[in-house]
Amino acid sequence: MDTGDQQITARMDGLIEELNSMNTSYAQGTPEVSDQTYDALYETLLQLEREHPDLVRADSPTLRVGSDLSADLPEVPHTIPVLSLDKAYAESAITSWMERIEKRVEQQLSFVIEEKIDGVSIVLYYEDGLLVRAVTRGNGYVGNDVTSNVRTIREVPLRLKRAVTVAVRGEIFLTREDFRQLNSTMEIEYANPRNLTAGTIRRIRSSEVARLPLRIFVYEGFFSDGQMQPETHAGLLDDLRLLGFIINPRYHICSSSDALTGYLEDAARERGSLPYEIDGLVIKVNEFPVRESLGYTGHHPRWAIAYKFEAPMAESVVTAIDVQIGRTGRATPVARIEPVLIGGSTVSNVTLHNQDYVELLELCIGDTVSVSKRGDVIPAVERVIEKNEQGNRLWHMPERCPSCGGPLIRQGAHHFCTDHDCPDQVYGRLTFFVGKGQMDIDGLGSETIRTLISRKLARDPADLYHIDYEQLISEPGFGPKKVQQISKSIRESLDRPYEVVLRSLGIPEVGKKASQLLIKSGIRSIDQLIELAQHGEVEQLTGIRGFGEKTAQTIIREFSDPAVLEQIEELKAVGLSFCEQQSEQPALPQVFTDQVWCVTGSFEHYQPRSIAEKLIEARGGRVVSSVTGKTTHLLAGSSAGSKLAKAQKLGVRIVAEQEFTTMLEDVPQ
Ligand code: IVH
């Protein structure tokens, strides 16, 4: 570079520094200079750059104006997993989520509550401090490259205060006021600020984007190894601010679930007075080591949850109310409604829980109701919007069971059919026992079970093991192939481990998780469990992590009930396993339960790599040989090749050897 160039570069550097600093104070709401002063400096820089195009810096604020070059929006892969959040609609659901985490984690922890900005999600990629790419969320693995548009946003730093390599997640939005003003000048008006922001960010001409006062708040940062490792989320937000980003200052640190009371509902009430739109709050575990130990499900981090202000809702008419009898005899009223689309699926049946709930709603057949779907959970009738005009009265639970005709008796909040032989109860018991999540007996589908019940061949699960299926060959629906299949799967089911048998008994509160926890706590046989129940050992049960008072009391009641004990005896007699097989090693904490791991590359400490695979399996994880959409973790050693690339593409969590070793050691007990 000659001396002339050096002088010009120094001049440009000075201008860029000044303009960037003005930009920051502008973005933070404390402008240092008038717009005219800013514009004059800006013009000077622009002039210099026109004269010396080879000296233009990649982080020059003039690049924010964008070009008029037309370009498609190419698809680019994300190099970090861009996950979404699990959601809940009730404060109680949020507090119980927090309590679950507090129970799981031994150390003192805190939560950060942020506003959930209703804008457009963006990932900003910086390399050595320079903005190199801005990518929309897309499907979480691949997004659209909108770099030139995002460069026009004054609040997005083009160069960070430190030369770090980092991916930053944030939300681009328009304030209500800016939206109102802009929208009034549009030919076609947008429904809300979010839609206008989304439309703008995807424009082909970035000069059109530059005209809009888009804003950004950033809320997550993923630093390249070894660079800036804040211990907490609050620390990360500080770091991001110091690097030059705008973070939403309206966040709240909450020391425990108890301290949350009322906060969420207050926030929901106050949202209308904010200058921008929010559609909920996000609650995040503050401590990063705890986040790591909680991990991820396929799509969501376990360490954060969204509290959404409104559930998807639709209106429909109740055409009938039927009563369903479950396997325990419980009678549940179900509203049949005219089919409506809610949150992406058609709903035509909605549970009404019990008589009290119907009374609370003051619900009659023919009423128009609003139906919500909270999260991906079961739909619920929220309220009656319009009473029916046919003069129908409040619905009442019938006196007799619709299945067996016996009396329905009220016990607590619910009504029950008390006849153990009621066909619907028998059907419920048997289909549950043979179902996929339980004994998984192939060939015994719902029609087959109905036939066995109507022939009076099966009443309890143990009966399924006494039937001579060969004798049914001539019956409709029981060809030789079918009979062979049933006999084979019945035989195979005798080998199911105790844990599976236990959860298949259908005892309230004793599902998959509880069965595992009971066994892990050392209660390794049904006889031990029965003895404990008969001695009323509540404390031994509440001492198990994840077991509350209610679970303990239910277990004690159920395993003291003569009918349950008789059912167990019968199943013992047919040869099912009621005792956990002794393994030489003490059971390890099943920290990798529900995780699907793939192992690739070579390792310093796990040689051959089947050692690592065994370690994963011993902690409840499943090991597969290739990376697919179902894989949750890739353990990547040195010279990991195509599997690593595929995992990155699919957003699979990538774990290096050292981190893996820590995961094995840092297990919550
Ligand atoms: S955290 C892994 N924080 O809400 C962390 N998200 O599904 C995931 N959003 O796609 C996101 N404000 O676009 C987070 N303060 C905030 C947010 C926020 C808005 C959006 C984001 C994400 C969606 C959640």
Side-chain angles (χ1 to χ4, degrees):
M1 212 185 271
D2 63 30
T3 346
D5 273 358
Q6 269 172 4
Q7 277 174 354
I8 291 157
T9 310
R11 180 117 190 269
M12 281 177 159
D13 285 351
L15 283 166
I16 289 174
E17 213 159 280
E18 255 183 288
L19 286 165
N20 279 348
S21 139
M22 289 173 186
N23 253 334
T24 311
S25 25
Y26 169 87
Q28 286 170 342
T30 50
E32 293 165 355
V33 293
S34 67
D35 279 359
Q36 288 91 318
T37 315
Y38 179 90
D39 287 347
L41 288 180
Y42 185 96
E43 274 305 316
T44 317
L45 176 63
L46 198 62
Q47 193 53 39
L48 282 172
E49 288 178 341
R50 281 196 193 117
E51 287 163 15
H52 306 274
D54 49 331
L55 300 181
V56 176
R57 272 175 41 172
D59 60 334
S60 168
T62 58
L63 297 177
R64 292 182 189 274
V65 185
S67 81
D68 276 4
L69 288 180
S70 165
D72 287 322
L73 291 176
E75 285 190 353
V76 282
H78 283 291
T79 49
I80 55 157
V82 186
L83 302 177
S84 58
L85 295 172
D86 209 356
K87 45 187 178 290
Y89 295 89
E91 184 164 312
S92 59
I94 299 290
T95 31
S96 55
W97 172 83
M98 289 163 100
E99 280 163 10
R100 274 203 306 281
I101 291 183
E102 284 169 339
K103 262 195 169 170
R104 255 180 90 162
V105 176
E106 237 135 52
Q107 76 184 80
Q108 181 63 37
L109 78 158
S110 53
F111 296 90
V112 176
I113 307 175
E114 290 174 356
E115 289 170 336
K116 188 170 183 300
I117 309 295
D118 195 6
V120 173
S121 191
I122 196 83
V123 188
L124 307 172
Y125 291 94
Y126 289 82
E127 279 171 21
D128 299 326
L130 271 190
L131 176 67
V132 289
R133 236 172 314 112
V135 186
T136 61
R137 206 186 97 80
N139 61 10
Y141 309 117
V142 174
N144 278 123
D145 189 333
V146 287
T147 314
S148 48
N149 290 349
V150 170
R151 277 214 174 101
T152 69
I153 303 174
R154 284 176 77 177
E155 291 188 351
V156 172
L158 301 179
R159 179 191 283 273
L160 303 178
K161 297 275 163 57
R162 283 176 58 179
V164 285
T165 295
V166 61
V168 174
R169 285 192 64 177
E171 206 79 1
I172 297 176
F173 62 96
L174 277 168
T175 63
R176 290 179 206 271
E177 181 54 24
D178 287 336
F179 169 71
R180 205 181 47 75
Q181 283 185 10
L182 288 162
N183 221 21
S184 60
T185 65
M186 301 248 168
E187 226 169 280
I188 304 165
E189 295 203 357
Y190 281 80
N192 53 50
R194 204 198 75 82
N195 289 3
L196 176 53
T197 308
T200 308
I201 219 68
R202 307 186 64 81
R203 286 277 169 86
I204 303 300
R205 287 171 194 279
S206 50
S207 59
E208 289 170 18
V209 184
R211 285 209 290 271
L212 262 61
L214 293 176
R215 306 290 189 95
I216 189 167
F217 280 143
V218 303
Y219 44 74
E220 291 292 328
F222 304 80
F223 288 97
S224 173
D225 281 351
Q227 296 183 330
M228 306 188 79
Q229 296 296 352
E231 283 282 300
T232 60
H233 185 68
L236 169 83
L237 294 177
D238 275 345
D239 286 351
L240 290 173
R241 199 164 38 80
L242 294 174
L243 284 172
F245 292 105
I246 309 290
I247 59 148
N248 182 352
R250 287 174 53 85
Y251 69 86
H252 174 77
I253 301 181
C254 173
S255 55
S256 76
S257 49
D258 299 336
L260 188 75
T261 317
Y263 183 86
L264 303 182
E265 276 156 19
D266 288 349
R269 234 172 294 118
E270 285 166 16
R271 67 190 280 214
S273 54
L274 290 173
Y276 43 81
E277 295 205 337
I278 64 174
D279 60 345
L281 298 171
V282 183
I283 299 93
K284 303 174 175 178
V285 168
N286 193 17
E287 291 74 15
F288 285 124
V290 177
R291 284 190 180 188
E292 282 315 303
S293 73
L294 291 168
Y296 301 81
T297 68
H299 309 285
H300 313 300
R302 289 208 178 84
W303 44 260
I305 193 165
Y307 169 70
K308 297 265 281 184
F309 291 144
E310 283 133 16
M313 206 67 98
E315 284 182 20
S316 182
V317 175
V318 176
T319 52
I321 299 177
D322 293 339
V323 172
Q324 276 178 358
I325 306 294
R327 65 189 154 87
T328 60
R330 189 157 108 186
T332 308
V334 178
R336 311 290 179 197
I337 59 168
E338 279 169 9
V340 272
L341 197 68
I342 314 174
S345 63
T346 305
V347 176
S348 42
N349 305 312
V350 190
T351 178
L352 296 169
H353 308 288
N354 53 32
Q355 177 69 47
D356 287 351
Y357 190 71
V358 177
E359 279 170 23
L360 188 120
L361 294 169
E362 298 183 16
L363 182 65
C364 315
I365 294 168
D367 288 355
T368 303
V369 289
S370 71
V371 179
S372 70
K373 217 162 82 188
R374 298 176 174 266
D376 298 326
V377 212
I378 38 173
V381 173
E382 294 283 337
R383 60 178 170 275
V384 172
I385 297 173
E386 231 178 279
K387 296 306 287 177
N388 69 91
E389 285 175 358
Q390 302 95 296
N392 290 337
R393 301 281 202 77
L394 182 71
W395 181 88
H396 277 287
M397 185 67 77
E399 283 178 4
R400 306 228 143 244
C401 167
S403 174
C404 69
L408 289 178
I409 313 282
R410 183 162 182 155
Q411 285 170 8
H414 300 285
H415 285 77
F416 289 85
C417 161
T418 53
D419 184 355
H420 192 69
D421 289 329
C422 165
D424 278 3
Q425 276 192 57
V426 174
Y427 173 79
R429 276 200 302 274
L430 297 178
T431 45
F432 178 80
F433 183 80
V434 304
K436 279 263 176 284
Q438 290 73 246
M439 295 296 276
D440 192 11
I441 305 179
D442 248 9
L444 292 178
S446 52
E447 276 316 298
T448 314
I449 295 278
R450 289 245 183 248
T451 313
L452 297 178
I453 297 170
S454 65
R455 299 274 150 80
K456 303 224 174 323
L457 291 170
R459 170 179 178 264
D460 284 306
D463 299 332
L464 299 172
Y465 293 86
H466 293 298
I467 299 170
D468 178 1
Y469 293 97
E470 299 286 332
Q471 283 188 2
L472 291 164
I473 283 188
S474 52
E475 304 279 335
F478 285 88
K481 241 182 159 172
K482 166 93 173 172
V483 164
Q484 214 179 9
Q485 183 200 11
I486 299 176
S487 308
K488 180 168 169 272
S489 48
I490 284 276
R491 247 189 344 268
E492 284 170 357
S493 77
L494 291 171
D495 296 330
R496 301 271 188 272
Y498 169 50
E499 182 207 313
V500 175
V501 175
L502 181 58
R503 68 170 187 247
S504 305
L505 297 176
I507 288 167
E509 306 276 340
V510 188
K512 182 174 176 186
K513 191 87 204 153
S515 304
Q516 286 171 348
L517 289 172
L518 280 167
I519 294 168
K520 218 174 84 184
S521 78
I523 308 165
R524 302 169 68 86
S525 73
I526 202 98
D527 291 342
Q528 260 176 291
L529 189 56
I530 293 170
E531 202 184 315
L532 189 145
Q534 290 177 345
H535 287 104
E537 305 266 8
V538 185
E539 277 161 21
Q540 190 174 344
L541 291 169
T542 49
I544 302 173
R545 192 193 281 253
F547 274 41
E549 184 73 23
K550 179 170 163 258
T551 309
Q553 292 294 0
T554 308
I555 291 179
I556 288 181
R557 189 192 63 229
E558 290 289 320
F559 286 95
S560 310
D561 177 347
V564 173
L565 299 181
E566 190 186 325
Q567 186 196 349
I568 292 170
E569 281 311 310
E570 285 171 7
L571 288 169
K572 263 188 185 173
V574 302
L576 291 188
S577 170
F578 279 97
C579 173
E580 179 71 359
Q581 297 308 314
Q582 283 296 328
S583 67
E584 298 97 68
Q585 294 190 339
L588 286 163
Q590 300 292 292
V591 284
F592 294 160
T593 302
D594 293 335
Q595 298 180 359
V596 182
W597 286 71
C598 180
V599 182
T600 189
S602 49
F603 301 90
E604 200 184 328
H605 297 106
Y606 310 105
Q607 196 69 273
R609 62 168 174 259
S610 57
I611 297 177
E613 293 172 352
K614 287 225 178 74
L615 291 167
I616 293 166
E617 281 174 345
R619 284 157 180 78
R622 197 150 70 81
V623 175
V624 292
S625 57
S626 58
V627 175
T628 69
K630 293 209 174 103
T631 315
T632 59
H633 293 69
L634 179 79
L635 174 58
S638 54
S639 57
S642 62
K643 283 181 188 159
L644 177 59
K646 185 153 184 210
Q648 273 165 349
K649 191 164 162 226
L650 291 177
V652 171
R653 173 142 179 238
I654 295 158
V655 179
E657 177 163 359
Q658 207 187 346
E659 189 191 350
F660 180 65
T661 309
T662 325
M663 286 168 103
L664 299 180
E665 289 163 0
D666 279 2
V667 284
Q669 291 297 314

